[in-house]
Amino acid sequence: MKLQKITSILLIFAFCLLTNNIYAQFAMPKHLPIWDANKVTLKLHKISENVYTVSPSTTETETTKGIPQATSAGFIVGDKGVLLIETMLSKGLYDQLYKLIRSVTNKPIVYAINTSDHGDHCFGNYLLPKETIIIQNEFCKENLSKNYDNIKQFMIGLFGSGRGIEESVYRPADVTIAINQTMKIDIGKGNIVEIINVGTAQSPADLFVYLKSPTGNVLWAGNPFIAESPAIPWLFDGYFLEPVKNLNKIYNMISDKDIVVPGHGRITNKAGIKYTIDYVTALQKNVEEAVKKGLSLEQTKATVTMKEFDKGYELFNWLHFNFNIPNAYKDIKQNIN
């Protein structure tokens, strides 16, 4: 019991540092760890020649059941080397990812992109070859440089101690992308990788990785599009209206034929991530109506239950009532007033 209290205190402290909002407490989901890094087996998926995604072996059977999944990654083999998307939470997961890369190519890892400052996307950076160029959102690098130890404690609280998180060491990014900027990398054979910072789509640290290829486009969507139905967005970084705008911007940018790799779910397409758009659109409409009626936050929570979107995602209540509604309420009330 004492250990649980200490963990909760650390999480509250870390969460406050991670955002610009001060919460009285940080509500935790019922089941911890959310997923167990020690039990994840990563699987390689070949999308096309030289283009691969990597995701937990359970994503195909568990995503649509609403069971939270570990982080998905990917890599593209270019003329001069490998471009890697995500470096995972722990050495165990990074080693699995590295082994999958080496099952395909012996070329060096030239670039590594982190789509978030959450540790499950970037804590493996310290294990990369020293020559690898790490690319992050500008805010991502700044936040990690200032709060790395606190972010580690936050991740330990959600994903458990003894999962290799403690061993991670901060390694700074070599290249950063400012808000509303895009970096393009030509990796050969007509494959152009666009690394896009549209601003906050889940957190201020987001990047989207969009491969434009003669064989078909692929979007690595990261945490903003966490998984297809029944998953809903994790809007616990304190923002709502800006994510709604930027989620729609990315959604409208891609075509129906594009492949989408969510941050934590099975490979899908544009139709597969529309559930996220539908959810935030409905949440905005419902909360705007509540604010216009003069309802308090607690009254809004009681009214905006949105049961039509509660289709079995294990984290629905935790996210919807503790983070998504409060952040929507805060932003919408400030915007209306």
Side-chain angles (χ1 to χ4, degrees):
M1 189 67 178
K2 290 182 179 179
L3 180 60
Q4 290 177 338
K5 288 182 178 179
I6 292 171
T7 301
S8 297
I9 291 169
L10 287 170
L11 282 166
I12 295 164
F13 177 63
F15 187 76
C16 289
L17 286 172
L18 280 167
T19 70
N20 295 321
N21 302 281
I22 304 299
Y23 288 84
Q25 68 179 42
F26 180 64
M28 297 298 291
K30 293 180 179 179
H31 303 293
L32 293 172
I34 292 176
W35 45 263
D36 190 339
N38 290 343
K39 297 179 180 179
V40 173
T41 299
L42 296 178
K43 182 178 179 181
L44 184 68
H45 303 268
K46 184 175 182 178
I47 300 299
S48 61
E49 192 66 29
N50 297 320
V51 180
Y52 301 85
T53 69
V54 176
S55 58
S57 60
T58 52
T59 54
E60 287 300 316
T61 57
E62 293 185 353
T63 300
T64 57
K65 294 179 181 178
I67 301 171
Q69 300 296 297
T71 318
S72 293
F75 63 95
I76 305 158
V77 182
D79 289 343
K80 296 182 180 179
V82 174
L83 182 147
L84 174 64
I85 301 115
E86 315 295 24
T87 61
M88 314 310 275
L89 179 68
S90 64
K91 184 178 185 301
L93 290 174
Y94 174 88
D95 287 347
Q96 285 191 55
L97 176 60
Y98 186 82
K99 186 176 180 180
L100 291 173
I101 295 170
R102 288 293 166 250
S103 73
V104 171
T105 180
N106 289 320
K107 289 184 177 181
I109 302 174
V110 179
Y111 301 101
I113 303 167
N114 304 135
T115 67
S116 173
D117 57 2
H118 294 183
D120 55 309
H121 298 261
C122 63
F123 275 7
N125 286 356
Y126 77 107
L127 298 165
L128 290 163
K130 63 181 181 179
E131 298 84 7
T132 302
I133 298 169
I134 299 174
I135 302 170
Q136 292 175 349
N137 166 316
E138 194 171 63
F139 175 90
C140 179
K141 179 178 181 179
E142 180 182 3
N143 194 40
L144 287 168
S145 69
K146 293 178 179 178
N147 294 316
Y148 202 76
D149 287 341
N150 295 318
I151 294 171
K152 282 171 69 172
Q153 292 301 322
F154 175 66
M155 300 304 289
I156 289 168
L158 289 177
F159 300 106
S161 60
R163 267 75 177 183
I165 302 170
E166 296 88 344
E167 286 74 29
S168 181
V169 178
Y170 174 64
R171 175 174 167 178
D174 302 288
V175 175
T176 60
I177 301 174
I179 191 169
N180 296 322
Q181 298 297 312
T182 297
M183 176 180 176
K184 294 184 179 181
I185 300 175
D186 184 345
I187 60 174
K189 296 182 176 62
N191 293 319
I192 306 295
V193 177
E194 295 185 2
I195 312 165
I196 305 166
N197 180 357
V198 294
T200 301
Q202 191 255 358
S203 82
D206 297 321
L207 281 180
F208 293 90
V209 182
Y210 192 31
L211 169 66
K212 293 187 175 179
S213 170
T215 58
N217 301 339
V218 183
L219 174 72
W220 278 267
N223 284 340
F225 292 100
I226 204 155
E228 61 191 282
S229 173
I232 60 171
W234 292 40
L235 299 175
F236 61 28
D237 280 66
Y239 307 89
F240 179 71
L241 288 176
E242 187 179 356
V244 172
K245 177 188 71 175
N246 290 327
L247 287 168
N248 276 282
K249 184 183 293 185
I250 294 297
Y251 180 79
N252 292 327
M253 177 189 77
I254 64 175
S255 78
D256 294 338
K257 295 181 180 179
D258 291 350
I259 291 171
V260 177
V261 184
H264 295 266
R266 69 178 184 177
I267 301 165
T268 187
N269 53 22
K270 185 172 183 177
I273 60 172
K274 189 174 185 294
Y275 195 72
T276 293
I277 299 295
D278 291 343
Y279 170 82
V280 296
T281 301
L283 180 59
Q284 181 174 358
K285 177 178 180 292
N286 290 335
V287 173
E288 282 177 350
E289 290 176 355
V291 170
K292 288 176 182 177
K293 291 177 181 176
L295 300 186
S296 67
L297 173 57
E298 291 307 313
Q299 289 171 326
T300 301
K301 286 183 182 181
T303 303
V304 184
T305 57
M306 291 174 57
K307 291 298 183 183
E308 69 273 23
F309 288 94
D310 187 2
K311 296 183 178 180
Y313 188 44
E314 289 184 357
L315 301 177
F316 180 88
N317 287 336
W318 177 60
L319 292 165
H320 183 70
F321 293 104
N322 291 301
F323 305 105
N324 296 0
I325 288 179
N327 290 327
Y329 184 89
K330 171 185 66 68
D331 274 7
I332 288 168
K333 190 170 185 179
Q334 290 175 350
N335 189 60
I336 288 178
N337 294 339

